[in-house]
Amino acid sequence: MSALSQPTTASAEEVARFQAIADAWWDAEGKFKPLHQLNPPRLEFLRDIAAAHFGRDIAAPAPFAGLSLLDVGCGGGLLCEPLARLGFAVTGIDAGEKNVAVARLHAEQSGLAIDYRNATPEQLEGQFDVVMSMEVVEHVPDVDVFLAAAAARLKPGGLFFGATLNRTAKSYALAIIGAEYVLRWLPRGTHDWKKFLKPSEFAAALRRAGVTVAGFEGIRFDLVHDCWRRTDSLDVNYLLHGRKD
Amino acid sequence: MAMMDTDLQCDVLIVGGGLVGGPLACALAAHGVSVAVVDREAPETALAPAFDGRASAVALGPQRVLAGCGLWPAIAPLAAPIREIRVSDGASPLFLHYDHRVLGSDPFGWIVENRAIRQALSRRLPALPLARVLAPASIQALRREAGGVVATLNDGRSIGAALVVAADGRGSPVRAGAGIGLTKWEYGQTAIVCTVAHEKPHGDVAQEHFLPSGPFAILPLPGNRSSVVWTEKSALVPGIMAQDDAAFLAEMHERFGDFLGGLTLEGPRFAYPLSLQFAKAYTAPRLALVGDAAHGMHPVAGQGMNMGLRDVAALAEVLVQAKRLGLDLGNAAVLERYARWRRFDNLLMLGLTDAMVRLFSNDIAPVRLARDLGLAAVNRMPGLKKTFMRHAMGLVGELPRLMRGEAL
């Protein structure tokens, strides 16, 4: 992959911020522990919706074999690796060069063939059965430009997954004050609350990009059991899925 | 597993294919998780009558685990149901009587000779395409690394896996190799185990007499046979074991009582020193402990096998779920879920059995009076008794699916 100067849909500042913490990405007991803990409910959501959409049996080995998936903003590959194990032919792209390097290194260690590229969606060609972008829209400078580029990589009838943080008083308290200041899960300044998207705003932006949202689901942190759980409440972290027309 | 050059690659390497490692291998392999089982004993050796003379109490919950592993059909014809439990204290007339009908039509559990479980395993494991058994073989070297586990066997073969499970018993070399400490104390008691035939039917009743030297249990086996667990002060055991069959039987008969008529000894006698032990951690990077490798307890409450099968059910559920999410099975978050689930439950049971041993293994008059009154009082409080019974049946706590009789 050729070196890219300034990716258009990610601001340089944002990229640098995540690069600073990329090394610790794969340490399940380290800084990124909350993200590792967040993985099971997110994967369960993706798997269950995709199984229903494509008519696959989740108990079968590699249930999604034969389907292609693009992860936009793949980070260190925390979602790409499990999805590759589930049978998807995975392409992971990220605007952070170091993220991609970390992801590549780890996939090799895991013995997984994943196509990682230091790119933004508009730099790609071809179309995928599934396109997902988790916890990325709240970091991009222009949501419409970003989602149009991501949706362009989706096959007609294909499945789109998104995740972000809702813009509510509760999310301000939990994601900014709680996660960045109190628990120190994330470096201060990781998130800008004003850039969080309400579910209706996310759905409207996707609609403009040709994707019809079919459902939402929330994820909440269970302090008692120290894990994340799926919930109907979309107040803080939420996921959505939609279909390209 | 960086495409490691191993002779065999699987999801989970299980060290020890016995009463806990074996069922775990079956549960995983039947649900899409590939396993390799390494055992020091050749399968024929482990099935010989002289290898293991013990019988295990299998409560209702753990029986469902064996059913979920596909093992129960082969065990059922050789399992004796327990429909009543009688607990008595020495010669005291006060005793505790549990009748399964209080809770419904299911028996409390079953007494199964360990050999029957080993036999069922030897048939079931080869029938599972995702299970490979390597026995007799031992682990020469075990490396747990960021990308996976690599084991080298004594014959030079190598196995790669995402996770290694130590099911290698109380002395667990894998646990020791990982530097996981052990808390342990000896009871100064030894269990003498043998099988007897008796004239009269046992009526599916399990008996436990609390004698000053330790509990004496008579556990029903199929037919007019019972398994005897005779707990004795360790110092006296060599003398008892050295006796010829007739003298041994006469001494045992005194404790056994006459209610089942004449007794004859069947097969060899065994002596097992008793101790309580628990591992200071249940997991380490890419390692999980199960069964006796994690916890060993006094057989007073018949819970050793049950706790092992609860480990199996919990670990199998955690791993099968992780596999179906595409997660790395050796991932710290996955292992933490298992450790959290089992650790408190096991410590509770260890504490309870330890308290029972200490309370009942003495003949100090006030303690004796208190526990007799306690037993009688429990007998008169249906609510409390039901709770005890449900505990003994393995039906309390956040139950893994296999223990609820549900599919994974």
Side-chain angles (χ1 to χ4, degrees):
Chain A
M1 198 65 211
S2 61
L4 298 154
S5 46
Q6 245 341 291
T8 51
T9 57
S11 76
E13 229 177 297
E14 294 278 6
V15 172
R17 208 164 286 145
F18 264 88
Q19 275 190 350
I21 36 184
D23 285 337
W25 216 297
W26 279 98
D27 179 6
E29 291 293 293
K31 265 187 188 166
F32 276 81
K33 187 177 178 186
L35 216 49
H36 283 269
Q37 287 179 314
L38 186 57
N39 244 4
R42 291 198 301 188
L43 284 165
E44 199 180 78
F45 176 82
L46 294 171
R47 179 198 65 185
D48 292 351
I49 300 290
H53 185 91
F54 296 108
R56 303 291 173 105
D57 173 12
I58 61 159
F64 301 109
L67 296 169
S68 59
L69 179 147
L70 171 67
D71 184 3
V72 181
C74 62
L78 235 51
L79 284 166
C80 287
E81 290 200 8
L83 291 166
R85 284 197 196 91
L86 292 178
F88 283 112
V90 178
T91 300
I93 61 171
D94 201 285
E97 210 174 320
K98 199 171 168 190
N99 287 349
V100 174
V102 166
R104 256 192 215 127
L105 209 70
H106 199 272
E108 200 184 318
Q109 195 180 60
S110 303
L112 294 167
I114 297 171
D115 182 6
Y116 284 118
R117 300 186 203 182
N118 180 204
T120 52
E122 61 269 52
Q123 293 167 325
L124 284 192
E125 286 177 354
Q127 290 187 317
F128 299 80
D129 297 297
V130 179
V131 171
M132 57 186 246
S133 186
M134 313 300 257
E135 278 89 29
V136 176
V137 283
E138 69 272 23
H139 298 284
V140 302
D142 188 322
V143 172
D144 273 353
V145 171
F146 173 76
L147 288 179
R153 303 277 61 87
L154 189 55
K155 287 182 188 170
L159 198 50
F160 182 89
F161 289 107
T164 190
L165 287 141
N166 198 348
R167 199 173 64 256
T168 58
K170 198 169 164 188
S171 75
Y172 187 79
L174 293 177
I176 306 289
I177 299 174
E180 293 184 15
Y181 286 82
V182 181
L183 297 171
R184 305 274 168 88
W185 280 353
L186 300 168
R188 287 175 198 180
T190 299
H191 286 118
D192 177 357
W193 180 78
K194 292 188 293 296
K195 292 175 86 173
F196 290 0
L197 287 182
K198 292 190 169 171
S200 57
E201 295 165 351
F202 201 168
L206 277 170
R207 186 72 245 148
R208 291 191 288 276
V211 172
T212 308
V213 172
F216 295 95
E217 202 172 288
I219 293 192
R220 69 177 173 87
F221 193 73
D222 177 344
L223 277 169
V224 176
H225 294 94
D226 191 28
C227 67
W228 295 85
R229 292 187 189 280
R230 293 165 70 177
T231 166
D232 290 334
S233 163
L234 309 179
D235 286 351
V236 188
N237 294 77
Y238 68 93
L239 300 148
L240 60 75
H241 64 99
R243 190 189 143 95
K244 187 167 172 179
D245 314 320
Chain B
M1 284 111 285
M3 299 287 92
M4 286 175 234
D5 262 335
T6 52
D7 298 310
L8 175 64
Q9 190 68 36
C10 60
D11 291 323
V12 180
L13 164 63
I14 301 173
V15 183
L19 302 177
V20 173
L24 177 65
C26 294
L28 292 176
H31 295 94
V33 179
S34 61
V35 297
V37 181
V38 174
D39 200 290
R40 279 191 301 204
E41 301 297 337
E44 314 82 68
T45 316
L47 292 178
F51 182 73
D52 184 351
R54 288 169 295 183
S56 292
V58 176
L60 183 60
Q63 178 267 335
R64 291 178 183 151
V65 178
L66 292 173
C69 297
L71 292 166
W72 190 248
I75 295 171
L78 304 169
I82 304 170
R83 298 192 192 279
E84 255 178 78
I85 300 174
R86 284 195 193 137
V87 182
S88 60
D89 185 3
S92 159
L94 296 168
F95 70 96
L96 192 56
H97 179 214
Y98 291 127
D99 191 318
H100 73 103
R101 280 163 295 201
V102 175
L103 291 181
S105 57
D106 291 322
F108 284 114
W110 291 261
I111 299 295
V112 183
E113 286 164 280
N114 290 358
R115 212 151 55 85
I117 302 175
R118 293 183 198 278
Q119 230 142 24
L121 283 168
S122 74
R123 267 179 253 157
R124 174 73 175 155
L125 278 169
L128 291 163
L130 289 180
R132 277 285 301 275
V133 179
L134 302 123
S138 59
I139 306 270
Q140 197 105 80
L142 184 64
R143 295 203 316 273
R144 294 179 292 117
E145 295 165 345
V149 174
V150 182
T152 311
L153 302 186
N154 55 334
D155 59 11
R157 280 179 296 180
S158 58
I159 305 171
L163 174 72
V164 57
V165 175
D168 49 351
R170 284 183 168 238
S172 177
V174 173
R175 180 190 64 216
I180 297 177
L182 201 60
T183 301
K184 177 173 180 169
W185 58 84
E186 309 284 342
Y187 287 111
Q189 295 179 343
T190 293
I192 299 167
V193 177
C194 61
T195 303
V196 292
H198 34 75
E199 279 175 343
K200 298 181 192 162
H202 46 56
D204 302 336
V205 180
Q207 309 260 354
E208 188 147 30
H209 302 309
F210 286 100
L211 301 174
S213 57
F216 185 96
I218 303 166
L219 309 168
L221 292 176
N224 283 359
R225 294 157 65 237
S226 289
S227 173
V228 171
V229 183
W230 170 5
T231 313
E232 193 51 80
K233 292 190 177 90
S234 292
L236 302 176
V237 170
I240 296 169
M241 292 299 283
Q243 290 171 324
D244 63 29
D245 280 1
F248 175 82
L249 196 61
E251 195 158 336
M252 186 183 68
H253 211 142
E254 274 177 40
R255 292 160 175 84
F256 195 102
D258 284 325
F259 66 103
L260 292 178
L263 302 178
T264 46
L265 208 51
E266 270 200 356
R269 324 162 207 158
F270 301 83
Y272 301 97
L274 302 178
S275 63
L276 177 143
Q277 63 176 51
F278 52 92
K280 289 184 174 151
Y282 275 28
T283 59
R286 298 202 176 274
L287 168 66
L289 309 183
V290 292
D292 284 357
H295 45 77
M297 64 194 81
H298 195 288
V300 62
Q303 293 297 328
M305 179 71 181
N306 288 333
M307 297 317 273
L309 288 174
R310 288 180 83 130
D311 291 349
V312 167
L315 186 58
E317 184 167 332
V318 166
L319 292 179
V320 168
Q321 277 182 4
K323 172 82 180 177
R324 288 182 186 160
L325 290 177
L327 294 171
D328 173 355
L329 300 188
N331 179 297
V334 172
L335 296 182
E336 193 187 310
R337 232 192 109 202
Y338 164 69
R340 237 168 224 260
W341 202 349
R342 295 302 306 139
R343 215 173 139 71
F344 175 73
D345 192 28
N346 281 329
L347 276 177
L348 184 71
M349 187 54 81
L350 290 172
L352 281 175
T353 55
D354 186 54
M356 276 176 82
V357 174
R358 284 163 195 279
L359 184 60
F360 286 102
S361 298
N362 68 69
D363 209 8
I364 305 161
V367 175
R368 208 188 142 112
L369 179 65
R371 73 189 183 220
D372 283 348
L373 291 174
L375 282 182
V378 169
N379 209 24
R380 283 183 182 76
M381 284 186 279
L384 188 59
K385 202 161 111 175
K386 251 189 214 179
T387 306
F388 278 2
M389 286 162 72
R390 293 183 60 81
H391 249 300
M393 290 167 83
L395 297 175
V396 177
E398 191 190 344
L399 291 182
R401 281 186 203 181
L402 282 173
M403 297 218 13
R404 295 193 301 244
E406 291 168 18
L408 281 182

